[in-house]
Amino acid sequence: MSSDGNNPDSSRKRSGSALCLGPRKKAASSNPLVLHGRHFGRTVFALCNYPSLLTAGILRLEELQDSPIEDYPADVRREHRVFMELIDSYPGLLDRLTNGEEEDVIHAGELLGKGASGARGDDTKTLKSAVLEWLVPRGQVVIPPLSRNIKSDRGFNHEVTGALLCPAGLDWSNAETKQNLKSSETAVRGDQWPMFLYAGYDYDPEDPWKGLLKSEILVYGFKHVFTSPSSVDKEPKATRSGNAYLHGMKSVTKGSVAYIATQVRFLLSSSSVFSRTDTVTDSENFYLSILDLLEDPDESQEVADLITWWTRRIFPNSSSSQRCISANSALSKIRARRAALQEQASVGTT
């Protein structure tokens, strides 16, 4: 992730990973690619240099005719997965890119990037004050009060936000630990996950998966962004004005969970500007470490259970969340009978 350039040169040569932010740049007025970029950034990959992603992806498609993707480094494989998800999610985009000129590819990337960065900025702005309502149980107040517009009193400078941001495994109630975090003598890297990621803000070192990414503050943040701010205090329902409804989103994605976790972490911190190069928040490392876990094949069962849990919380009426078959139903008996027959067949062949 060494390249921050937004415009690749005319020869379409790659310089570093496209999965990093390029410099902010004004693009053309809103169009379908901008709208698609807003949703793609929220749900698939948030910190992306889209012109580089498209340019490198097209080149790689040619290279893959002679060598498999498995021969490439892990970061390139991830970049290519993101590229293919983007291509598959926008009909006609690949033809548009391969049949167009270099400027067309860059322009398409700029429009996608405009949408993604615009959505990230909009979400940060609206969540900035909203997150303060979720810090303590309803009916209680945050003491001392936190400013809605200035973040300097957040982070480890405040008892409540400090406890939520305290890395799992450290004891916020310990005076020395608290002082070291507040003074930055104890530096917190992005892969040192905070307590707020855990349900009930309770971390079990013997079972670090227990409650991970299931906290109420994450659920509130997800609803605020995807189903509408008004849905936070109501039964889960994607309103017609919500981002999930507008984009036909009916299930939670790995990228969307990592995105919301990153937003909430930044908004609890005292940092005033979101930047991937900010060594205090280390937001990019945090985001990527969450994605690394969620995309790890060895953790596939835990991840599948987690995504099912999320989808049931956010989209309880979607078909993808209704996976439990009623007991004693005809369907359950058919499934049980088929399982029994398959077991008998397997026994007979051994």
Side-chain angles (χ1 to χ4, degrees), residues 7-37:
N7 288 342
D9 61 29
S10 58
S11 63
R12 294 190 183 179
K13 292 182 179 179
R14 295 193 297 271
S15 58
S17 172
L19 300 186
C20 65
L21 292 177
R24 293 188 178 186
K25 186 173 181 179
K26 249 187 172 179
S29 59
S30 177
N31 74 6
L33 278 177
V34 174
L35 297 176
H36 193 73

Side-chain angles (χ1 to χ4, degrees), residues 104-142:
D104 299 323
V105 176
I106 295 174
H107 183 59
E110 289 174 342
L111 292 173
L112 288 163
K114 179 186 179 183
S117 62
R120 187 172 61 252
D122 291 345
D123 294 338
T124 300
K125 183 178 179 180
T126 59
L127 284 167
K128 185 177 183 179
S129 59
V131 74
L132 300 183
E133 305 294 332
W134 312 327
L135 298 181
V136 294
R138 290 184 180 87
Q140 298 183 19
V141 295
V142 177

Side-chain angles (χ1 to χ4, degrees), residues 3-7 17-25 46-52 113 117 120 276 284:
S3 173
D4 279 339
N6 204 40
N7 288 342
S17 172
L19 300 186
C20 65
L21 292 177
R24 293 188 178 186
K25 186 173 181 179
L47 310 180
C48 194
N49 183 336
Y50 285 91
S52 293
S117 62
R120 187 172 61 252
R276 75 176 188 87
E284 183 178 43

Side-chain angles (χ1 to χ4, degrees), residues 125 128-129 131-132 145-155 157-158 161 266-273:
K125 183 178 179 180
K128 185 177 183 179
S129 59
V131 74
L132 300 183
L146 285 165
S147 171
R148 289 183 172 273
N149 299 316
I150 301 174
K151 295 182 63 203
S152 58
D153 55 355
R154 303 185 190 186
N157 299 319
H158 194 280
T161 54
F266 169 71
L267 292 162
L268 291 175
S269 76
S270 58
S271 295
S272 58
V273 179

Side-chain angles (χ1 to χ4, degrees), residues 67-348:
S67 57
I69 190 63
E70 290 75 21
D71 291 348
Y72 290 79
D75 60 331
V76 177
R77 294 199 300 272
R78 166 180 274 171
E79 181 181 316
H80 192 66
R81 287 198 304 272
V82 174
F83 171 75
M84 292 307 301
E85 283 197 59
L86 178 57
I87 293 300
D88 292 341
S89 65
Y90 196 97
L93 180 58
L94 182 59
D95 289 339
R96 175 175 174 175
L97 297 176
T98 54
N99 295 327
E101 300 294 329
E102 176 72 13
E103 302 77 43
D104 299 323
V105 176
I106 295 174
H107 183 59
E110 289 174 342
L111 292 173
L112 288 163
K114 179 186 179 183
S117 62
R120 187 172 61 252
D122 291 345
D123 294 338
T124 300
K125 183 178 179 180
T126 59
L127 284 167
K128 185 177 183 179
S129 59
V131 74
L132 300 183
E133 305 294 332
W134 312 327
L135 298 181
V136 294
R138 290 184 180 87
Q140 298 183 19
V141 295
V142 177
I143 301 175
L146 285 165
S147 171
R148 289 183 172 273
N149 299 316
I150 301 174
K151 295 182 63 203
S152 58
D153 55 355
R154 303 185 190 186
F156 296 122
N157 299 319
H158 194 280
E159 184 68 25
V160 175
T161 54
L164 295 176
L165 288 171
C166 182
L170 295 185
D171 183 6
W172 176 251
S173 64
N174 180 279
E176 183 179 359
T177 297
K178 186 180 301 185
Q179 181 57 37
N180 288 342
L181 288 169
K182 186 174 182 178
S183 65
S184 298
E185 184 173 338
T186 298
V188 180
R189 290 174 50 86
D191 58 4
Q192 292 178 278
W193 293 342
M195 290 297 298
F196 82 81
L197 294 185
Y198 285 88
Y201 311 136
D202 182 24
Y203 167 68
D204 181 357
E206 299 301 320
D207 185 7
W209 256 112
K210 184 179 179 181
L212 179 61
L213 297 169
K214 291 183 177 180
S215 66
E216 286 302 301
I217 197 170
L218 287 180
V219 174
Y220 294 155
F222 199 104
K223 288 182 178 181
H224 182 96
V225 169
F226 288 99
T227 61
S228 82
S230 62
S231 70
V232 171
D233 298 318
K234 301 176 183 178
E235 288 296 314
K237 181 181 180 181
T239 64
R240 291 181 179 272
S241 60
N243 292 309
Y245 180 88
L246 293 175
H247 294 276
M249 183 180 183
K250 296 181 179 179
S251 61
V252 173
T253 65
K254 300 170 186 176
S256 60
V257 174
Y259 175 77
I260 293 300
T262 304
Q263 281 279 9
V264 172
R265 181 174 177 270
F266 169 71
L267 292 162
L268 291 175
S269 76
S270 58
S271 295
S272 58
V273 179
F274 183 95
S275 171
R276 75 176 188 87
T277 58
D278 182 357
T279 56
V280 177
T281 58
D282 201 17
S283 293
E284 183 178 43
N285 189 20
F286 173 78
Y287 176 76
L288 293 177
S289 69
I290 296 289
L291 274 185
D292 284 342
L293 176 72
L294 298 182
E295 294 175 351
D296 187 344
D298 293 334
E299 306 292 340
S300 60
Q301 185 56 59
E302 288 82 357
V303 173
D305 292 342
L306 175 67
I307 297 301
T308 297
W309 180 91
W310 267 98
T311 298
R312 287 173 178 168
R313 286 295 303 268
I314 307 299
F315 307 107
N317 297 320
S318 72
S319 58
S320 58
S321 68
Q322 298 171 352
R323 298 182 179 178
C324 293
I325 301 174
S326 299
N328 298 320
S329 66
L331 177 58
S332 68
K333 294 181 181 299
I334 290 173
R335 294 281 172 83
R337 179 175 179 274
R338 175 57 57 192
L341 291 173
Q342 290 175 340
E343 184 176 356
Q344 290 176 8
S346 64
V347 171

